Amino acid sequence: MTASAGSLVGDDAARTVHGFSGGADVVLLGAPGATPGTAVEASLPDVAASLAELGLPSPLAHLAGAPADQLTWLAEALERSDDVPVVVAAPDLHISHVALLDLLDRPGVRTAALVADPTAIVEGAGLAGRARVGRDGKQVESVGTAHHTVSRPDRALPGVLRVAPGDRAAAAQALRTAAPLADPSWGDDGVAAATLVLVRAGLPVQASPLGPFDWSRGGVRAVGAAGGPWRQRLRGASRGGDGFFSTYAVRPVSRRITGFGLGHGWSPNVVTMVSLGLGVLAALLVATGAWWAWVVAAVVLLVALAVDCVDGEIARFTRRFSPLGAFLDAVGDRVKEYAVLAAVASVAVREGAPGWPVALAAMAAVTVRHLEDYAYEARLRPSRRSRPDLLPADTPHDLGPQDAPTTFGPPPSRRAQAVHWSKKVVHMPIAERYLLISLTLLTRRPMLVLWALLVAVVVAVAWTQGGRVVAVLLRRDPTWGAVVPAAARGELDEQLDLGPLARLVGRLVGPASRPPFVVGLAGAAVLVVAVPLLLWTGPVAASLAAAVVGSALVALGWQPPVHDRLGWQAPAALWVAEALAVGVLVHHTVGVQTAAGFAYVAAVAYHRYDVVYRLRDTGTAPAAWLATAGLGTEGRLIVLLLLATFAPSAVVPVLWVAAVLLAVLYLAESATGWRRWIAAQGDPLATGARR
């Protein structure tokens, strides 16, 4: 069924089918089931018609026999060839082809099952197929049938399974092995039974989330977002997990812009650059110091935030993911935020207020929050990795606790939702920070803008880091047991940004006599507390000595690979040490109001963000020589303190030169690394680069 023109979104190019499942073998598996004939179902095509809309051929056949026969016949269909995918669908499923695009026509999808949010089910929730997806959201861990229970189910199974060409032989073997074990007690849901067999046999089955679409099957009916399928797809293009302001204010605006852009062929990367330009424009308006310009800048900054959401929404709607977009996203948000802070600080200094140290502190606090978050997520990743329950196909219960619930949980209560959104706001994600900056810009009080952001982000850091550290110290951190020590240098080591001096100390000591992690923690405490304190109160030479001692302890205790319950605190601690020392050195020891320290710290901050984004999006770290060329955290700190000890008048000029050199160095290596990775991806359509 083709959607009416009034319900369409975007032009033909935006709605095009890429053909990732083109030529697939199609199998309808299971009993047709009853047809309720509800209003929602009447508006939806049956699954065969939807598959035809995607260019898939007519089904090979429809088998509705006993479970053993269904599995055997499906195995035979899989053995026909191994050069095209196989799409297995429930014959009684009613769903739009638009809802199937992310499973059947998206790059990066291999063998995968369509999974849906059970809270969208308005009728027959007890009849819906059930599954549990891993905490990382990547794989199906367990599946339920009439015979099999699934512990803690969190997804419904509408009834579509895609088997990748390279998995056909393994899937056929698993089905043939399981077929003799199947009996009528397994029920009529052949797609759920087949998915269960593949999961329990150890074949990775990706979880392909169904967006906010209408669907129905037998006595089950789920209702999606308002509007037709393409409108629902536009709604689902908004990234999940945003903050409160983004979810309820920014995204509704960005989707309107996205709808317009989809109809006019906008490129996601061009949209990213436009958002960056708007952020820079806001900074230039602020730099004028005029009240009216600050009001306009407040509006422009929020527009830039909305436009920044559009690039990802266009990419997700069209399923065209450019790896270049990951690089542009990595730098755009920081450039906009830092540029506005610098503009506000410059106006404050012109008016006789100490704008630069507060701006530097605010920038450092924002960076701390992100570094801590990324390091913590990297630490938890092993514990959140999907772990399918590998069992014989006829075992009635999965590996979950025997007393675990086997039905869908209730939707979150209002109190739970209020707590969730309150925590989101306190966490100060980017939309909340932009809102705070925009609102305070309206006051035309530069120090209020800077202090408000600094205090809000410090509270966010105290909330997140404090809670996590307390949980670790009180042994209430159940995830740590799943964190396996790394055998080689890992993500955490790359984020530390230790240079040649630290590596030299590590080589002199050797891994055999490696001190415990707490030694490095003591060194970090010296760098974070003693060095700035001595810079503030005593001779610079004393702070230099403290920096040497602290750096040596860090090098000893944090030799790669770092592995400790508090290891995720290490990158943020070293960042705070460097930023704090630079701020105190410039604005107290030397005693000048200059942007040199801000520029220097911004260059280093870019590098730290770049390391995180490259590890997250590409799985590769910057070139090994970069830590040597950039001297590392300990090297840069010691060189600056040496300069302050013997040539304090040269500190500010050297900071300016170092800021430029580091920016060029980091940007050049970053651009080279991203370009190399982009070239390795080949067709940009074939990458699932995160947006």
Side-chain angles (χ1 to χ4, degrees):
M1 180 182 71
T2 303
S4 64
S7 65
L8 295 179
V9 174
D11 57 15
D12 290 340
R15 299 190 302 271
T16 189
V17 175
H18 305 319
F20 284 102
S21 295
D25 292 330
V26 177
V27 177
L28 299 184
L29 196 64
T35 303
T38 63
V40 171
E41 181 168 289
S43 67
L44 294 171
D46 61 49
V47 71
S50 294
L51 295 176
E53 288 270 10
L54 297 178
L56 274 64
S58 300
L60 290 171
H62 169 212
L63 183 71
D69 295 330
Q70 293 185 40
L71 298 182
T72 300
W73 188 87
L74 179 57
E76 294 173 355
L78 288 164
E79 292 166 344
R80 287 167 54 99
S81 69
D82 60 0
D83 56 353
V84 295
V86 175
V87 177
V88 186
D92 57 343
L93 175 62
H94 291 259
I95 194 169
S96 166
H97 77 281
V98 182
L100 301 178
L101 289 171
D102 289 320
L103 171 65
L104 303 181
D105 200 52
R106 182 185 178 100
V109 177
R110 293 189 53 79
T111 296
L114 191 68
V115 296
D117 181 358
T119 62
I121 298 175
V122 295
E123 292 180 10
L127 303 175
R130 294 182 291 279
R132 185 182 72 246
V133 173
R135 293 182 63 192
D136 59 5
K138 293 184 177 179
Q139 290 186 34
V140 178
E141 292 184 332
S142 181
V143 177
T145 70
H147 174 75
H148 305 85
T149 58
V150 52
S151 58
R152 299 190 180 94
D154 53 12
R155 299 292 189 277
L157 293 176
V160 186
L161 172 70
R162 181 188 190 271
V163 181
D167 291 336
R168 289 182 65 151
Q173 179 60 43
L175 292 167
R176 285 197 177 278
T177 301
L181 304 176
D183 59 49
S185 68
W186 287 32
D188 296 326
D189 192 344
V191 179
T195 305
L196 175 139
V197 169
L198 300 188
V199 169
R200 291 193 171 190
L203 185 69
V205 178
Q206 296 176 355
S208 179
L210 177 68
F213 294 98
D214 299 332
W215 62 276
S216 63
R217 180 182 175 193
V220 182
R221 183 169 69 92
V223 176
W230 289 109
R231 291 288 169 189
Q232 292 174 338
R233 181 163 188 80
L234 178 60
R235 177 63 181 82
S238 292
R239 184 180 60 189
D242 281 348
F244 181 84
F245 181 64
S246 179
T247 299
Y248 291 103
V250 178
R251 289 292 182 177
V253 174
S254 71
R255 285 194 294 270
R256 290 180 177 272
I257 303 173
T258 299
F260 181 84
L262 288 167
H264 292 79
W266 287 5
S267 163
N269 293 339
V270 172
V271 173
T272 302
M273 297 307 296
V274 170
S275 175
L276 177 59
L278 289 171
V280 173
L281 173 61
L284 293 174
L285 288 167
V286 170
T288 67
W291 182 86
W292 67 267
W294 281 47
V295 174
V296 175
V299 176
V300 170
L301 188 61
L302 291 180
V303 172
L305 176 63
V307 173
D308 188 49
C309 298
V310 172
D311 56 358
E313 291 173 353
I314 291 177
R316 286 184 286 272
F317 186 98
T318 61
R319 307 169 318 288
R320 290 184 177 272
F321 301 94
S322 165
L324 178 61
F327 171 72
L328 296 176
D329 274 350
V331 300
D333 290 340
R334 302 291 80 76
V335 170
K336 288 180 289 189
E337 199 165 12
Y338 293 173
V340 171
L341 286 178
V344 173
S346 67
V347 174
V349 171
R350 292 204 304 265
E351 296 177 354
W356 288 116
V358 183
L360 190 154
M363 176 177 63
V366 170
T367 307
V368 165
R369 199 191 70 75
H370 286 126
L371 292 180
E372 190 266 347
D373 266 357
Y374 293 133
Y376 191 72
E377 287 301 316
R379 170 188 182 273
L380 294 184
R381 196 170 298 134
S383 67
R384 293 179 173 176
R385 186 174 297 124
S386 296
R387 292 177 172 81
D389 291 352
L390 307 182
L391 291 165
D394 59 342
T395 303
H397 199 280
D398 62 15
L399 295 178
Q402 292 295 318
D403 58 348
T406 57
T407 57
F408 297 128
S413 64
R414 290 187 177 181
R415 181 179 182 277
Q417 290 180 342
V419 170
H420 168 80
W421 289 120
S422 298
K423 289 181 178 179
K424 282 282 189 179
V425 171
V426 173
H427 199 60
M428 286 301 291
I430 186 169
E432 272 70 10
R433 296 201 305 275
Y434 275 37
L435 176 62
L436 180 61
I437 293 172
S438 296
L439 291 176
T440 51
L441 282 175
L442 297 178
T443 68
R444 183 43 188 84
R445 297 173 63 184
M447 294 307 295
L448 176 63
V449 177
L450 298 175
W451 277 111
L453 180 64
L454 174 59
V455 171
V457 177
V458 167
V459 170
V461 171
W463 171 267
T464 55
Q465 286 191 268
R468 292 164 179 172
V469 170
V470 168
V472 169
L473 296 179
L474 296 181
R475 301 284 176 169
R476 295 177 180 174
D477 182 21
T479 62
W480 176 249
V483 181
V484 180
R489 187 180 180 90
E491 287 190 26
L492 191 59
D493 303 295
E494 299 293 346
Q495 293 180 46
L496 290 178
D497 191 28
L498 292 176
L501 292 177
R503 291 199 300 273
L504 176 61
V505 172
R507 282 196 295 268
L508 291 176
V509 175
S513 55
R514 168 179 176 162
F517 177 85
V518 69
V519 172
L521 199 61
V526 171
L527 296 178
V528 171
V529 179
V531 170
L533 185 62
L534 290 171
L535 276 174
W536 191 277
T537 62
V540 178
S543 65
L544 172 60
V548 171
V549 172
S551 297
L553 293 175
V554 166
L556 290 172
W558 290 353
Q559 294 182 44
V562 172
H563 180 76
D564 188 84
R565 288 178 179 271
L566 290 173
W568 48 278
Q569 288 283 303
L574 293 180
W575 161 254
V576 170
E578 185 170 13
L580 193 56
V582 171
V584 174
L585 175 63
V586 172
H587 303 295
H588 180 77
T589 307
V590 179
V592 294
Q593 279 294 321
T594 174
F598 185 92
Y600 174 89
V601 173
V604 177
Y606 166 79
H607 170 59
R608 288 193 167 273
Y609 275 110
D610 183 59
V611 171
V612 167
Y613 285 124
R614 286 164 73 177
L615 289 170
R616 187 192 71 176
D617 293 332
T618 74
T620 59
W625 58 263
L626 187 63
T628 300
L631 299 183
T633 301
E634 83 291 350
R636 293 190 298 269
L637 188 56
I638 290 173
V639 167
L640 282 177
L641 293 176
L642 275 170
L643 187 67
T645 301
F646 298 105
S649 62
V651 168
V652 171
V654 169
L655 279 175
W656 277 117
V657 173
V660 173
L661 291 178
L662 287 176
V664 171
L665 174 69
Y666 291 144
L667 283 169
E669 192 282 332
S670 175
T672 302
W674 280 97
R675 185 167 58 247
R676 186 182 301 114
W677 179 75
I678 290 169
Q681 305 308 302
D683 182 359
L685 189 62
T687 178
R690 296 174 64 166
R691 297 292 309 189

